Amino acid sequence: MLEQTVYHSSDLPAEDRFDFWRQLVGRTHAPLDVLTKDPADFRATQRVLHLDGVTVWPTTFTPALFRRTTRLIRASDPETVHLTLPLSGPLETTRGDLQVVYPANTLSVISSSHPVDVWAGREPHLHSGIGLEVPRSRLILPRDGVERLITRPLSTETGYGALLAQLLHQVIRDRDTYQPSDGARLGGVVVDLVSALFAATLEHDPSTSTGPAALLLRIKAFISTHLHDPDLTPTTVAAAHHISVSYLHRLFQQDGTSVAAWIRARRLERARRDLTDPISADLPVHAVAARWGFRHAADFNRAFKAAYGRPPGEFRQEVRKLLFFAQAPDSDAGGT
């Protein structure tokens, strides 16, 4: 069973239900001001599936207004991208003077780093939907990519949007059939699919389908498919895209990073995923490093520790212990 946390308002006294749920939403997404018409009559259910840093949370609740303010952002910003798939009715957002309505079964995109008001549901019916939380750092996006995505509903009828919606529904439906070790695999699939959806959306946007932003997306996609190659360098990346190395560096600098840092971060993320996967349990750490383009094990060890706070071998041992306890017969599987 996947690690999960479950909330039913009926399990609490009526006077505590709304405040407890508001705090739960704040921990799952980011701190929020939440308002509802009648807190004393508030009802909600929520299940949070934990997929190795990615969370999927189907929820049903009394209509509510969510406010992510500048004050709250200054106080705490997890730098996540949140997608909502409303199921029972529309979602409405307000950002300054911009108001957007997201019909049921379309995807909305929200950044924890930007102020927004979100109204979910309409009286007297309960509102239901699926929330998805992904760390911004794990997505293939130009620096201002989220800003371009938050102003439009994303379709789930065709393409990557349809694949993502189907995946979310299936993960929720089959949640009890997965093992705890499947969380990292499913999280990786979700991240890749969200990245593909965002890239395809931006590439088909007339305002961004050409020029530096589109080129940077193509370059990042190229890098992601060549991480295993130890000869992947700024020089080879620039040559593959018929641009100069200096222009390549400028593209990444404008995106707030460097070519080498972006390549290293993606390689470390893939290696970390392998180290959490029981299928790769017999693969030595140095072999995992080599699989993702690290020539020298010592360099990999230093980079991994700098990124994740512990050496890769120690990280793997901790993951094994967590999986062992999660699979033990007396485990409560994350709160269920």
Side-chain angles (χ1 to χ4, degrees), residues 4-37:
Q4 51 191 292
T5 305
V6 180
Y7 167 79
H8 296 287
S9 59
S10 58
D11 293 337
L12 295 173
E15 63 271 19
D16 297 333
R17 294 171 182 174
F18 179 67
D19 282 343
F20 189 93
W21 182 78
R22 178 177 55 81
Q23 294 173 23
L24 176 61
V25 172
R27 292 193 301 270
T28 306
H29 169 56
L32 297 162
D33 290 332
V34 187
L35 304 172
T36 191
K37 184 176 180 180

PDB file of all heavy atoms in Angstrom, residues 4-37:
ATOM      1  N   GLN A   4       0.054   7.038   2.777  1.00  0.00           N
ATOM      2  CA  GLN A   4      -1.063   7.948   2.592  1.00  0.00           C
ATOM      3  C   GLN A   4      -1.581   8.448   3.931  1.00  0.00           C
ATOM      4  O   GLN A   4      -1.378   7.835   4.977  1.00  0.00           O
ATOM      5  CB  GLN A   4      -2.195   7.275   1.801  1.00  0.00           C
ATOM      6  CG  GLN A   4      -2.612   5.917   2.341  1.00  0.00           C
ATOM      7  CD  GLN A   4      -3.526   5.182   1.381  1.00  0.00           C
ATOM      8  OE1 GLN A   4      -4.665   5.606   1.158  1.00  0.00           O
ATOM      9  NE2 GLN A   4      -3.043   4.100   0.802  1.00  0.00           N
ATOM     10  N   THR A   5      -2.243   9.592   3.869  1.00  0.00           N
ATOM     11  CA  THR A   5      -2.872  10.202   5.040  1.00  0.00           C
ATOM     12  C   THR A   5      -4.332  10.454   4.704  1.00  0.00           C
ATOM     13  O   THR A   5      -4.646  10.978   3.633  1.00  0.00           O
ATOM     14  CB  THR A   5      -2.180  11.529   5.395  1.00  0.00           C
ATOM     15  OG1 THR A   5      -0.784  11.309   5.560  1.00  0.00           O
ATOM     16  CG2 THR A   5      -2.764  12.112   6.672  1.00  0.00           C
ATOM     17  N   VAL A   6      -5.218  10.085   5.607  1.00  0.00           N
ATOM     18  CA  VAL A   6      -6.649  10.169   5.334  1.00  0.00           C
ATOM     19  C   VAL A   6      -7.325  11.071   6.375  1.00  0.00           C
ATOM     20  O   VAL A   6      -6.999  11.011   7.559  1.00  0.00           O
ATOM     21  CB  VAL A   6      -7.293   8.771   5.368  1.00  0.00           C
ATOM     22  CG1 VAL A   6      -8.789   8.866   5.091  1.00  0.00           C
ATOM     23  CG2 VAL A   6      -6.629   7.856   4.336  1.00  0.00           C
ATOM     24  N   TYR A   7      -8.241  11.910   5.887  1.00  0.00           N
ATOM     25  CA  TYR A   7      -9.005  12.783   6.771  1.00  0.00           C
ATOM     26  C   TYR A   7     -10.485  12.665   6.453  1.00  0.00           C
ATOM     27  O   TYR A   7     -10.889  12.745   5.282  1.00  0.00           O
ATOM     28  CB  TYR A   7      -8.570  14.246   6.596  1.00  0.00           C
ATOM     29  CG  TYR A   7      -9.515  15.235   7.232  1.00  0.00           C
ATOM     30  CD1 TYR A   7      -9.487  15.461   8.607  1.00  0.00           C
ATOM     31  CD2 TYR A   7     -10.450  15.930   6.476  1.00  0.00           C
ATOM     32  CE1 TYR A   7     -10.360  16.356   9.210  1.00  0.00           C
ATOM     33  CE2 TYR A   7     -11.326  16.834   7.061  1.00  0.00           C
ATOM     34  CZ  TYR A   7     -11.280  17.039   8.423  1.00  0.00           C
ATOM     35  OH  TYR A   7     -12.145  17.912   9.012  1.00  0.00           O
ATOM     36  N   HIS A   8     -11.287  12.439   7.494  1.00  0.00           N
ATOM     37  CA  HIS A   8     -12.742  12.474   7.395  1.00  0.00           C
ATOM     38  C   HIS A   8     -13.246  13.450   8.453  1.00  0.00           C
ATOM     39  O   HIS A   8     -12.990  13.255   9.652  1.00  0.00           O
ATOM     40  CB  HIS A   8     -13.365  11.091   7.645  1.00  0.00           C
ATOM     41  CG  HIS A   8     -12.996  10.060   6.623  1.00  0.00           C
ATOM     42  ND1 HIS A   8     -13.503  10.060   5.348  1.00  0.00           N
ATOM     43  CD2 HIS A   8     -12.158   8.993   6.704  1.00  0.00           C
ATOM     44  CE1 HIS A   8     -12.999   9.028   4.680  1.00  0.00           C
ATOM     45  NE2 HIS A   8     -12.184   8.372   5.478  1.00  0.00           N
ATOM     46  N   SER A   9     -13.965  14.469   8.036  1.00  0.00           N
ATOM     47  CA  SER A   9     -14.430  15.459   9.009  1.00  0.00           C
ATOM     48  C   SER A   9     -15.340  14.829  10.054  1.00  0.00           C
ATOM     49  O   SER A   9     -15.395  15.286  11.208  1.00  0.00           O
ATOM     50  CB  SER A   9     -15.162  16.598   8.292  1.00  0.00           C
ATOM     51  OG  SER A   9     -16.271  16.106   7.552  1.00  0.00           O
ATOM     52  N   SER A  10     -16.024  13.762   9.680  1.00  0.00           N
ATOM     53  CA  SER A  10     -16.942  13.113  10.624  1.00  0.00           C
ATOM     54  C   SER A  10     -16.221  12.470  11.799  1.00  0.00           C
ATOM     55  O   SER A  10     -16.854  12.115  12.796  1.00  0.00           O
ATOM     56  CB  SER A  10     -17.782  12.066   9.897  1.00  0.00           C
ATOM     57  OG  SER A  10     -16.951  11.093   9.282  1.00  0.00           O
ATOM     58  N   ASP A  11     -14.901  12.314  11.697  1.00  0.00           N
ATOM     59  CA  ASP A  11     -14.135  11.730  12.799  1.00  0.00           C
ATOM     60  C   ASP A  11     -13.843  12.737  13.905  1.00  0.00           C
ATOM     61  O   ASP A  11     -13.303  12.374  14.957  1.00  0.00           O
ATOM     62  CB  ASP A  11     -12.793  11.180  12.280  1.00  0.00           C
ATOM     63  CG  ASP A  11     -12.983   9.989  11.352  1.00  0.00           C
ATOM     64  OD1 ASP A  11     -14.033   9.342  11.441  1.00  0.00           O
ATOM     65  OD2 ASP A  11     -12.065   9.728  10.552  1.00  0.00           O
ATOM     66  N   LEU A  12     -14.166  14.012  13.668  1.00  0.00           N
ATOM     67  CA  LEU A  12     -13.845  15.074  14.630  1.00  0.00           C
ATOM     68  C   LEU A  12     -15.117  15.757  15.120  1.00  0.00           C
ATOM     69  O   LEU A  12     -16.153  15.755  14.436  1.00  0.00           O
ATOM     70  CB  LEU A  12     -12.936  16.121  13.979  1.00  0.00           C
ATOM     71  CG  LEU A  12     -11.547  15.666  13.552  1.00  0.00           C
ATOM     72  CD1 LEU A  12     -10.867  16.780  12.771  1.00  0.00           C
ATOM     73  CD2 LEU A  12     -10.709  15.270  14.754  1.00  0.00           C
ATOM     74  N   PRO A  13     -15.044  16.392  16.283  1.00  0.00           N
ATOM     75  CA  PRO A  13     -16.181  17.206  16.733  1.00  0.00           C
ATOM     76  C   PRO A  13     -16.461  18.323  15.722  1.00  0.00           C
ATOM     77  O   PRO A  13     -15.540  18.845  15.082  1.00  0.00           O
ATOM     78  CB  PRO A  13     -15.699  17.784  18.069  1.00  0.00           C
ATOM     79  CG  PRO A  13     -14.615  16.862  18.525  1.00  0.00           C
ATOM     80  CD  PRO A  13     -13.958  16.358  17.276  1.00  0.00           C
ATOM     81  N   ALA A  14     -17.696  18.696  15.579  1.00  0.00           N
ATOM     82  CA  ALA A  14     -18.094  19.667  14.556  1.00  0.00           C
ATOM     83  C   ALA A  14     -17.315  20.968  14.666  1.00  0.00           C
ATOM     84  O   ALA A  14     -16.934  21.563  13.649  1.00  0.00           O
ATOM     85  CB  ALA A  14     -19.598  19.935  14.662  1.00  0.00           C
ATOM     86  N   GLU A  15     -17.018  21.420  15.892  1.00  0.00           N
ATOM     87  CA  GLU A  15     -16.346  22.704  16.058  1.00  0.00           C
ATOM     88  C   GLU A  15     -14.870  22.653  15.646  1.00  0.00           C
ATOM     89  O   GLU A  15     -14.249  23.708  15.463  1.00  0.00           O
ATOM     90  CB  GLU A  15     -16.456  23.180  17.514  1.00  0.00           C
ATOM     91  CG  GLU A  15     -15.783  22.272  18.538  1.00  0.00           C
ATOM     92  CD  GLU A  15     -16.710  21.189  19.061  1.00  0.00           C
ATOM     93  OE1 GLU A  15     -17.739  20.917  18.385  1.00  0.00           O
ATOM     94  OE2 GLU A  15     -16.422  20.626  20.131  1.00  0.00           O
ATOM     95  N   ASP A  16     -14.306  21.459  15.494  1.00  0.00           N
ATOM     96  CA  ASP A  16     -12.888  21.334  15.141  1.00  0.00           C
ATOM     97  C   ASP A  16     -12.660  20.998  13.665  1.00  0.00           C
ATOM     98  O   ASP A  16     -11.516  21.041  13.186  1.00  0.00           O
ATOM     99  CB  ASP A  16     -12.224  20.242  15.987  1.00  0.00           C
ATOM    100  CG  ASP A  16     -12.233  20.571  17.468  1.00  0.00           C
ATOM    101  OD1 ASP A  16     -12.264  21.774  17.791  1.00  0.00           O
ATOM    102  OD2 ASP A  16     -12.215  19.627  18.283  1.00  0.00           O
ATOM    103  N   ARG A  17     -13.694  20.637  12.948  1.00  0.00           N
ATOM    104  CA  ARG A  17     -13.516  20.068  11.610  1.00  0.00           C
ATOM    105  C   ARG A  17     -12.876  21.031  10.617  1.00  0.00           C
ATOM    106  O   ARG A  17     -11.944  20.680   9.901  1.00  0.00           O
ATOM    107  CB  ARG A  17     -14.872  19.594  11.070  1.00  0.00           C
ATOM    108  CG  ARG A  17     -15.449  18.432  11.844  1.00  0.00           C
ATOM    109  CD  ARG A  17     -16.877  18.120  11.434  1.00  0.00           C
ATOM    110  NE  ARG A  17     -17.405  17.019  12.247  1.00  0.00           N
ATOM    111  CZ  ARG A  17     -18.669  16.610  12.198  1.00  0.00           C
ATOM    112  NH1 ARG A  17     -19.538  17.228  11.387  1.00  0.00           N
ATOM    113  NH2 ARG A  17     -19.074  15.619  12.952  1.00  0.00           N
ATOM    114  N   PHE A  18     -13.385  22.247  10.564  1.00  0.00           N
ATOM    115  CA  PHE A  18     -12.886  23.182   9.557  1.00  0.00           C
ATOM    116  C   PHE A  18     -11.445  23.585   9.834  1.00  0.00           C
ATOM    117  O   PHE A  18     -10.604  23.588   8.927  1.00  0.00           O
ATOM    118  CB  PHE A  18     -13.775  24.420   9.489  1.00  0.00           C
ATOM    119  CG  PHE A  18     -13.304  25.435   8.489  1.00  0.00           C
ATOM    120  CD1 PHE A  18     -13.326  25.158   7.131  1.00  0.00           C
ATOM    121  CD2 PHE A  18     -12.810  26.667   8.900  1.00  0.00           C
ATOM    122  CE1 PHE A  18     -12.873  26.081   6.203  1.00  0.00           C
ATOM    123  CE2 PHE A  18     -12.360  27.596   7.990  1.00  0.00           C
ATOM    124  CZ  PHE A  18     -12.387  27.304   6.629  1.00  0.00           C
ATOM    125  N   ASP A  19     -11.134  23.929  11.063  1.00  0.00           N
ATOM    126  CA  ASP A  19      -9.764  24.348  11.388  1.00  0.00           C
ATOM    127  C   ASP A  19      -8.763  23.238  11.134  1.00  0.00           C
ATOM    128  O   ASP A  19      -7.662  23.487  10.618  1.00  0.00           O
ATOM    129  CB  ASP A  19      -9.683  24.805  12.852  1.00  0.00           C
ATOM    130  CG  ASP A  19     -10.244  26.198  13.058  1.00  0.00           C
ATOM    131  OD1 ASP A  19     -10.393  26.925  12.055  1.00  0.00           O
ATOM    132  OD2 ASP A  19     -10.545  26.556  14.207  1.00  0.00           O
ATOM    133  N   PHE A  20      -9.131  22.014  11.483  1.00  0.00           N
ATOM    134  CA  PHE A  20      -8.211  20.899  11.263  1.00  0.00           C
ATOM    135  C   PHE A  20      -7.968  20.690   9.772  1.00  0.00           C
ATOM    136  O   PHE A  20      -6.830  20.505   9.326  1.00  0.00           O
ATOM    137  CB  PHE A  20      -8.774  19.611  11.880  1.00  0.00           C
ATOM    138  CG  PHE A  20      -7.800  18.475  11.899  1.00  0.00           C
ATOM    139  CD1 PHE A  20      -6.996  18.250  13.005  1.00  0.00           C
ATOM    140  CD2 PHE A  20      -7.675  17.620  10.800  1.00  0.00           C
ATOM    141  CE1 PHE A  20      -6.088  17.195  13.024  1.00  0.00           C
ATOM    142  CE2 PHE A  20      -6.771  16.566  10.813  1.00  0.00           C
ATOM    143  CZ  PHE A  20      -5.977  16.355  11.928  1.00  0.00           C
ATOM    144  N   TRP A  21      -9.036  20.755   8.972  1.00  0.00           N
ATOM    145  CA  TRP A  21      -8.886  20.551   7.531  1.00  0.00           C
ATOM    146  C   TRP A  21      -8.103  21.693   6.892  1.00  0.00           C
ATOM    147  O   TRP A  21      -7.255  21.467   6.021  1.00  0.00           O
ATOM    148  CB  TRP A  21     -10.267  20.447   6.883  1.00  0.00           C
ATOM    149  CG  TRP A  21     -10.226  20.194   5.413  1.00  0.00           C
ATOM    150  CD1 TRP A  21      -9.976  19.009   4.774  1.00  0.00           C
ATOM    151  CD2 TRP A  21     -10.435  21.156   4.379  1.00  0.00           C
ATOM    152  NE1 TRP A  21     -10.019  19.177   3.417  1.00  0.00           N
ATOM    153  CE2 TRP A  21     -10.300  20.482   3.139  1.00  0.00           C
ATOM    154  CE3 TRP A  21     -10.725  22.516   4.376  1.00  0.00           C
ATOM    155  CZ2 TRP A  21     -10.444  21.133   1.922  1.00  0.00           C
ATOM    156  CZ3 TRP A  21     -10.868  23.157   3.161  1.00  0.00           C
ATOM    157  CH2 TRP A  21     -10.735  22.465   1.952  1.00  0.00           C
ATOM    158  N   ARG A  22      -8.348  22.912   7.350  1.00  0.00           N
ATOM    159  CA  ARG A  22      -7.606  24.063   6.823  1.00  0.00           C
ATOM    160  C   ARG A  22      -6.105  23.890   7.071  1.00  0.00           C
ATOM    161  O   ARG A  22      -5.286  24.167   6.199  1.00  0.00           O
ATOM    162  CB  ARG A  22      -8.120  25.343   7.492  1.00  0.00           C
ATOM    163  CG  ARG A  22      -7.401  26.605   7.071  1.00  0.00           C
ATOM    164  CD  ARG A  22      -8.034  27.824   7.726  1.00  0.00           C
ATOM    165  NE  ARG A  22      -8.091  27.701   9.170  1.00  0.00           N
ATOM    166  CZ  ARG A  22      -7.063  27.941   9.975  1.00  0.00           C
ATOM    167  NH1 ARG A  22      -5.894  28.321   9.461  1.00  0.00           N
ATOM    168  NH2 ARG A  22      -7.188  27.816  11.277  1.00  0.00           N
ATOM    169  N   GLN A  23      -5.729  23.427   8.247  1.00  0.00           N
ATOM    170  CA  GLN A  23      -4.325  23.187   8.548  1.00  0.00           C
ATOM    171  C   GLN A  23      -3.758  22.055   7.696  1.00  0.00           C
ATOM    172  O   GLN A  23      -2.612  22.116   7.243  1.00  0.00           O
ATOM    173  CB  GLN A  23      -4.161  22.873  10.032  1.00  0.00           C
ATOM    174  CG  GLN A  23      -4.500  24.040  10.946  1.00  0.00           C
ATOM    175  CD  GLN A  23      -4.495  23.646  12.406  1.00  0.00           C
ATOM    176  OE1 GLN A  23      -3.866  22.667  12.788  1.00  0.00           O
ATOM    177  NE2 GLN A  23      -5.219  24.406  13.227  1.00  0.00           N
ATOM    178  N   LEU A  24      -4.573  21.019   7.465  1.00  0.00           N
ATOM    179  CA  LEU A  24      -4.121  19.898   6.639  1.00  0.00           C
ATOM    180  C   LEU A  24      -3.841  20.358   5.213  1.00  0.00           C
ATOM    181  O   LEU A  24      -2.813  19.999   4.622  1.00  0.00           O
ATOM    182  CB  LEU A  24      -5.177  18.790   6.636  1.00  0.00           C
ATOM    183  CG  LEU A  24      -4.896  17.574   5.743  1.00  0.00           C
ATOM    184  CD1 LEU A  24      -3.617  16.868   6.176  1.00  0.00           C
ATOM    185  CD2 LEU A  24      -6.083  16.613   5.763  1.00  0.00           C
ATOM    186  N   VAL A  25      -4.729  21.175   4.643  1.00  0.00           N
ATOM    187  CA  VAL A  25      -4.520  21.698   3.292  1.00  0.00           C
ATOM    188  C   VAL A  25      -3.263  22.561   3.251  1.00  0.00           C
ATOM    189  O   VAL A  25      -2.468  22.503   2.304  1.00  0.00           O
ATOM    190  CB  VAL A  25      -5.752  22.494   2.817  1.00  0.00           C
ATOM    191  CG1 VAL A  25      -5.464  23.207   1.503  1.00  0.00           C
ATOM    192  CG2 VAL A  25      -6.944  21.559   2.653  1.00  0.00           C
ATOM    193  N   GLY A  26      -3.049  23.358   4.283  1.00  0.00           N
ATOM    194  CA  GLY A  26      -1.859  24.203   4.343  1.00  0.00           C
ATOM    195  C   GLY A  26      -0.583  23.396   4.373  1.00  0.00           C
ATOM    196  O   GLY A  26       0.432  23.795   3.790  1.00  0.00           O
ATOM    197  N   ARG A  27      -0.603  22.247   5.053  1.00  0.00           N
ATOM    198  CA  ARG A  27       0.591  21.394   5.086  1.00  0.00           C
ATOM    199  C   ARG A  27       0.779  20.650   3.770  1.00  0.00           C
ATOM    200  O   ARG A  27       1.907  20.376   3.350  1.00  0.00           O
ATOM    201  CB  ARG A  27       0.494  20.393   6.237  1.00  0.00           C
ATOM    202  CG  ARG A  27       0.567  21.020   7.619  1.00  0.00           C
ATOM    203  CD  ARG A  27       0.796  19.964   8.684  1.00  0.00           C
ATOM    204  NE  ARG A  27      -0.238  18.943   8.713  1.00  0.00           N
ATOM    205  CZ  ARG A  27      -1.340  19.024   9.452  1.00  0.00           C
ATOM    206  NH1 ARG A  27      -1.551  20.095  10.212  1.00  0.00           N
ATOM    207  NH2 ARG A  27      -2.229  18.053   9.449  1.00  0.00           N
ATOM    208  N   THR A  28      -0.309  20.321   3.106  1.00  0.00           N
ATOM    209  CA  THR A  28      -0.228  19.561   1.865  1.00  0.00           C
ATOM    210  C   THR A  28       0.213  20.440   0.708  1.00  0.00           C
ATOM    211  O   THR A  28       1.008  20.025  -0.129  1.00  0.00           O
ATOM    212  CB  THR A  28      -1.597  18.924   1.537  1.00  0.00           C
ATOM    213  OG1 THR A  28      -2.036  18.151   2.654  1.00  0.00           O
ATOM    214  CG2 THR A  28      -1.494  18.026   0.315  1.00  0.00           C
ATOM    215  N   HIS A  29      -0.276  21.655   0.643  1.00  0.00           N
ATOM    216  CA  HIS A  29       0.069  22.584  -0.438  1.00  0.00           C
ATOM    217  C   HIS A  29       1.042  23.642   0.069  1.00  0.00           C
ATOM    218  O   HIS A  29       2.248  23.560  -0.139  1.00  0.00           O
ATOM    219  CB  HIS A  29      -1.197  23.220  -1.002  1.00  0.00           C
ATOM    220  CG  HIS A  29      -0.947  24.367  -1.917  1.00  0.00           C
ATOM    221  ND1 HIS A  29      -0.153  24.252  -3.043  1.00  0.00           N
ATOM    222  CD2 HIS A  29      -1.361  25.660  -1.875  1.00  0.00           C
ATOM    223  CE1 HIS A  29      -0.090  25.428  -3.652  1.00  0.00           C
ATOM    224  NE2 HIS A  29      -0.806  26.292  -2.958  1.00  0.00           N
ATOM    225  N   ALA A  30       0.539  24.631   0.715  1.00  0.00           N
ATOM    226  CA  ALA A  30       1.309  25.742   1.276  1.00  0.00           C
ATOM    227  C   ALA A  30       0.359  26.488   2.203  1.00  0.00           C
ATOM    228  O   ALA A  30      -0.871  26.351   2.077  1.00  0.00           O
ATOM    229  CB  ALA A  30       1.827  26.663   0.172  1.00  0.00           C
ATOM    230  N   PRO A  31       0.877  27.275   3.148  1.00  0.00           N
ATOM    231  CA  PRO A  31      -0.022  28.007   4.046  1.00  0.00           C
ATOM    232  C   PRO A  31      -1.032  28.852   3.276  1.00  0.00           C
ATOM    233  O   PRO A  31      -0.682  29.548   2.325  1.00  0.00           O
ATOM    234  CB  PRO A  31       0.946  28.878   4.851  1.00  0.00           C
ATOM    235  CG  PRO A  31       2.222  28.091   4.872  1.00  0.00           C
ATOM    236  CD  PRO A  31       2.298  27.441   3.522  1.00  0.00           C
ATOM    237  N   LEU A  32      -2.285  28.785   3.702  1.00  0.00           N
ATOM    238  CA  LEU A  32      -3.383  29.452   3.014  1.00  0.00           C
ATOM    239  C   LEU A  32      -4.332  30.081   4.032  1.00  0.00           C
ATOM    240  O   LEU A  32      -4.486  29.575   5.144  1.00  0.00           O
ATOM    241  CB  LEU A  32      -4.186  28.455   2.167  1.00  0.00           C
ATOM    242  CG  LEU A  32      -3.491  27.757   1.006  1.00  0.00           C
ATOM    243  CD1 LEU A  32      -4.301  26.530   0.601  1.00  0.00           C
ATOM    244  CD2 LEU A  32      -3.342  28.705  -0.170  1.00  0.00           C
ATOM    245  N   ASP A  33      -4.975  31.167   3.617  1.00  0.00           N
ATOM    246  CA  ASP A  33      -6.150  31.649   4.329  1.00  0.00           C
ATOM    247  C   ASP A  33      -7.353  30.977   3.670  1.00  0.00           C
ATOM    248  O   ASP A  33      -7.514  31.054   2.440  1.00  0.00           O
ATOM    249  CB  ASP A  33      -6.280  33.171   4.218  1.00  0.00           C
ATOM    250  CG  ASP A  33      -5.212  33.902   5.009  1.00  0.00           C
ATOM    251  OD1 ASP A  33      -4.738  33.340   6.020  1.00  0.00           O
ATOM    252  OD2 ASP A  33      -4.848  35.020   4.607  1.00  0.00           O
ATOM    253  N   VAL A  34      -8.181  30.299   4.450  1.00  0.00           N
ATOM    254  CA  VAL A  34      -9.321  29.568   3.902  1.00  0.00           C
ATOM    255  C   VAL A  34     -10.593  30.066   4.572  1.00  0.00           C
ATOM    256  O   VAL A  34     -10.658  30.194   5.808  1.00  0.00           O
ATOM    257  CB  VAL A  34      -9.174  28.043   4.109  1.00  0.00           C
ATOM    258  CG1 VAL A  34     -10.308  27.311   3.379  1.00  0.00           C
ATOM    259  CG2 VAL A  34      -7.822  27.551   3.617  1.00  0.00           C
ATOM    260  N   LEU A  35     -11.601  30.351   3.755  1.00  0.00           N
ATOM    261  CA  LEU A  35     -12.884  30.830   4.251  1.00  0.00           C
ATOM    262  C   LEU A  35     -13.985  29.934   3.712  1.00  0.00           C
ATOM    263  O   LEU A  35     -13.914  29.445   2.580  1.00  0.00           O
ATOM    264  CB  LEU A  35     -13.139  32.275   3.795  1.00  0.00           C
ATOM    265  CG  LEU A  35     -12.079  33.317   4.174  1.00  0.00           C
ATOM    266  CD1 LEU A  35     -12.392  34.644   3.486  1.00  0.00           C
ATOM    267  CD2 LEU A  35     -12.024  33.488   5.685  1.00  0.00           C
ATOM    268  N   THR A  36     -15.000  29.711   4.522  1.00  0.00           N
ATOM    269  CA  THR A  36     -16.178  28.968   4.074  1.00  0.00           C
ATOM    270  C   THR A  36     -17.413  29.602   4.685  1.00  0.00           C
ATOM    271  O   THR A  36     -17.321  30.304   5.717  1.00  0.00           O
ATOM    272  CB  THR A  36     -16.077  27.476   4.460  1.00  0.00           C
ATOM    273  OG1 THR A  36     -17.111  26.737   3.800  1.00  0.00           O
ATOM    274  CG2 THR A  36     -16.164  27.283   5.965  1.00  0.00           C
ATOM    275  N   LYS A  37     -18.557  29.402   4.057  1.00  0.00           N
ATOM    276  CA  LYS A  37     -19.779  30.113   4.454  1.00  0.00           C
ATOM    277  C   LYS A  37     -20.189  29.786   5.878  1.00  0.00           C
ATOM    278  O   LYS A  37     -20.556  30.682   6.656  1.00  0.00           O
ATOM    279  CB  LYS A  37     -20.905  29.758   3.470  1.00  0.00           C
ATOM    280  CG  LYS A  37     -22.196  30.507   3.718  1.00  0.00           C
ATOM    281  CD  LYS A  37     -23.221  30.165   2.647  1.00  0.00           C
ATOM    282  CE  LYS A  37     -24.532  30.926   2.881  1.00  0.00           C
ATOM    283  NZ  LYS A  37     -25.541  30.582   1.827  1.00  0.00           N
TER     284      LYS A  37
END
